[in-house]
Amino acid sequence: MSRRVVRQSKFRHVFGQAAKADQAYEDIRVSKVTWDSSFCAVNPKFLAIIVEAGGGGAFIVLPLAKTGRVDKNYPLVTGHTAPVLDIDWCPHNDNVIASASDDTTIMVWQIPDYTPLRNITEPIITLEGHSKRVGILSWHPTARNVLLSAGGDNVIIIWNVGTGEVLLSLDDMHPDIIHSVCWNSNGSLLATTCKDKTLRIIDPRKGQVVAERFAAHEGMRPMRAIFTRQGHIFTTGFTRMSQRELGLWDPNNFEEPVALQEMDTSNGVLLPFYDADSSIIYLCGKGDSSIRYFEITDEPPFVHYLNTFSSKEPQRGMGFMPKRGLDVSKCEIARFYKLHERKCEPIIMTVPRKSDLFQDDLYPDTPGPEPALEADEWLSGQDAEPVLISLRDGYVPPKHRELRVTKPNILDVRPPSGPRRSQSASDTSLSQQHTLERLLEEIKALREQVQAQDQRITALENMLCELVDGTD
């Protein structure tokens, strides 16, 4: 008799669990826009969700601790004139978020640590360069203030948010709609998928496609691609018979897949979320009510099915917490924020362990909030891996940090004095002035509220006097 050998893995018993009802976020009108983005972005401080909004596009930003029912008058982030299609938190500043819209613009917002009294309507900067709607956003993983956008004009633009300038425009590489864009771990390469069924690896600074594979998945429905930590490409797509399929590819040899597995016949696009520290990939289908997860290793069959978290309600979107936002004391290795029609529900993935001690093997050093490069250093050809932090003592998000935008003077043609732009005294004074203006605006709003309440009290007192006079 041959004994069946069970594959050794510390992640074999990972299990998912929905948070208790009082830990959910209720009464949120999640956007009904038909678009294959996740509609949700989360970091260790805030939860952001694209919501229904009349007369334009909006999203709501909640402090993570603000669970329970959300007041219907809770301030929104509004400013776009058409629906918001994608949002993405800056990995190097937990108070900065970018939004992309059907109105062809990208807006970058500074979110205060306190709850604003009114809608946030003024972005730090508006980035205009696309001729059609913008549906994909992705911040550079290691360079400060570098943001990528992809639009319905089939163009990818890489911006320096700190100056509002276009660093690079990749406008002749995709003949059709771009379905997904992903940076590799140090931001030197991009993996893109397109309606023309081609998977491309692009060096954005050289403006070259360095490798490509036609029909990685043969179906016509949208494909997704992400980099793994080994430099492979993980893809989700559809077969010719419309079955959902996942694939693993080596960019140095695109002829044959490393792995290719058929899954099921659902027609929802699979959104892949990847944790490089554990090499686990989580697949969440829009309209599905489950999250399937797999471990990627160097041993055949390379993509190993672990388990499925199932629930009753279908998901409208999904947020994925960065590793530094997890609770290491509970051996939490992933946390999702599942969007329902009217609420957002956290789902926690845990590795069962008996010990209460810090588990070194589950939590290697992970990317922290400090950038490794400045935008101009990256553009000049430098690469750097993410700056790592230890989670041994947990992670405490830093206090509110202002994003300073300094638009270049187009009349000043003098060359820059050095490779890295130093912050001048005028930048600092501008920042202080911006903060002062914001505080004065808050004080003015509070005064208006007090004045309105005084007027209401006076009106009620007059009504009361009239009633008393009438009874006499």
Side-chain angles (χ1 to χ4, degrees):
M1 281 179 66
S2 63
R3 289 178 61 205
R4 183 164 170 265
V5 178
V6 177
R7 187 179 69 88
Q8 290 295 311
S9 169
K10 58 193 166 206
F11 301 114
R12 269 180 51 221
H13 302 293
V14 171
F15 69 97
Q17 198 167 19
K20 292 175 181 172
D22 63 351
Q23 294 300 304
Y25 306 82
E26 306 273 357
D27 272 5
I28 297 169
R29 297 191 308 148
V30 177
S31 174
K32 294 185 173 69
V33 173
T34 307
W35 190 253
D36 286 327
S37 75
S38 58
F39 284 15
C40 180
V42 63
N43 70 20
K45 278 186 171 183
F46 298 107
L47 168 68
I49 299 167
I50 303 174
V51 294
E52 286 286 287
F59 58 98
I60 191 168
V61 177
L62 299 167
L64 279 191
K66 193 168 178 60
T67 54
R69 199 180 76 80
V70 177
D71 189 286
K72 68 178 189 296
N73 296 318
Y74 194 90
L76 304 176
V77 182
T78 60
H80 287 289
T81 57
V84 176
L85 301 178
D86 199 13
I87 48 178
D88 196 26
W89 286 105
C90 175
H92 307 127
N93 188 333
D94 287 340
N95 292 78
V96 170
I97 189 169
S99 58
S101 169
D102 220 332
D103 67 9
T104 76
T105 68
I106 302 112
M107 292 182 177
V108 181
W109 308 85
Q110 183 99 36
I111 306 299
D113 283 335
Y114 58 86
T115 301
L117 296 169
R118 295 183 289 188
N119 287 352
I120 299 174
T121 57
E122 293 295 323
I124 311 168
I125 193 164
T126 301
L127 304 172
E128 297 176 289
H130 288 282
S131 59
K132 293 186 179 177
R133 68 181 179 186
V134 186
I136 297 170
L137 287 176
S138 183
W139 291 89
H140 192 284
T142 63
R144 189 196 307 272
N145 294 341
V146 175
L147 176 66
L148 175 150
S149 62
D153 49 9
N154 313 336
V155 174
I156 291 173
I157 299 178
I158 298 173
W159 309 83
N160 181 348
V161 173
T163 61
E165 294 175 298
V166 173
L167 294 178
L168 299 163
S169 182
L170 310 175
D171 48 10
D172 55 358
M173 296 189 176
H174 299 89
D176 214 324
I177 297 290
I178 299 163
H179 286 148
S180 74
V181 183
C182 175
W183 296 96
N184 67 347
S185 63
N186 68 1
S188 60
L189 295 172
L190 298 171
T192 70
T193 61
C194 178
K195 196 176 178 182
D196 69 353
K197 294 169 64 171
T198 303
L199 165 65
R200 294 175 176 84
I201 311 301
I202 296 170
D203 183 327
R205 288 168 299 192
K206 290 181 179 173
Q208 291 177 354
V209 176
V210 294
E212 61 183 356
R213 161 75 199 213
F214 176 70
H217 300 280
E218 294 185 343
M220 287 303 298
R221 289 188 55 73
M223 181 167 54
R224 288 279 188 281
I226 56 174
F227 278 98
T228 70
R229 71 180 182 198
Q230 294 92 349
H232 288 156
I233 310 292
F234 181 91
T235 58
T236 64
F238 293 81
T239 66
R240 197 174 287 152
M241 304 301 290
S242 292
Q243 279 201 303
R244 292 199 292 199
E245 190 174 48
L246 60 84
L248 188 67
W249 306 84
D250 180 353
N252 298 315
N253 179 17
F254 260 152
E255 292 303 312
E256 289 294 324
V258 177
L260 200 62
Q261 297 179 20
E262 286 186 11
M263 292 180 61
D264 55 27
T265 51
S266 176
N267 59 5
V269 173
L270 284 167
L271 304 177
F273 296 94
Y274 178 61
D275 174 20
D277 296 343
S278 61
S279 207
I280 295 178
I281 203 133
Y282 302 86
L283 300 183
C284 310
K286 271 198 149 183
D288 288 9
S289 53
S290 63
I291 301 172
R292 267 171 276 207
Y293 40 107
F294 300 78
E295 185 180 358
I296 299 175
T297 72
D298 297 328
E299 307 161 8
F302 305 107
V303 181
H304 306 269
Y305 171 75
L306 290 173
N307 210 335
T308 299
F309 166 81
S310 296
S311 56
K312 293 177 183 175
E313 298 290 324
Q315 53 230 16
R316 296 277 292 275
M318 197 70 79
F320 186 52
M321 176 66 81
K323 204 59 170 280
R324 58 195 168 90
L326 303 182
D327 187 345
V328 296
S329 67
K330 295 179 180 172
C331 295
E332 182 183 8
I333 62 159
R335 192 189 311 152
F336 291 90
Y337 287 76
K338 173 183 172 179
L339 299 187
H340 298 245
E341 196 171 335
R342 299 279 302 194
K343 75 171 182 179
C344 175
E345 174 187 45
I347 294 166
I348 293 151
M349 299 286 178
T350 308
V351 176
R353 291 279 168 97
K354 291 177 181 176
S355 171
D356 291 334
L357 299 174
F358 179 73
Q359 306 292 310
D360 298 80
D361 61 325
L362 297 183
Y363 301 106
D365 288 356
T366 196
E370 289 304 316
L373 293 171
E374 297 298 322
D376 50 1
E377 292 173 332
W378 176 78
L379 186 64
S380 70
Q382 292 185 45
D383 290 320
E385 294 300 320
V387 179
L388 304 181
I389 58 169
S390 170
L391 298 179
R392 178 174 289 278
D393 301 316
Y395 172 76
V396 179
K399 291 289 182 191
H400 179 93
R401 291 193 294 184
E402 199 87 30
L403 170 61
R404 298 182 181 91
V405 174
T406 310
K407 293 193 176 180
N409 181 356
I410 56 170
L411 301 176
D412 186 355
V413 293
R414 289 172 299 173
S417 57
R420 184 182 293 207
R421 198 187 135 269
S422 61
Q423 190 180 314
S424 65
S426 62
D427 287 354
T428 309
S429 60
L430 276 171
S431 164
Q432 288 171 343
Q433 186 181 346
H434 181 72
T435 307
L436 187 65
E437 286 171 358
R438 199 181 70 238
L439 287 171
L440 287 170
E441 195 178 320
E442 291 291 326
I443 291 165
K444 184 183 172 186
L446 278 168
R447 280 187 176 143
E448 286 172 0
Q449 285 184 354
V450 170
Q451 193 177 352
Q453 286 171 346
D454 285 344
Q455 289 171 352
R456 177 73 177 146
I457 289 166
T458 306
L460 288 169
E461 284 173 344
N462 291 339
M463 285 171 64
L464 188 63
C465 290
E466 286 171 11
L467 283 169
V468 170
D469 291 344
T471 54
D472 291 346

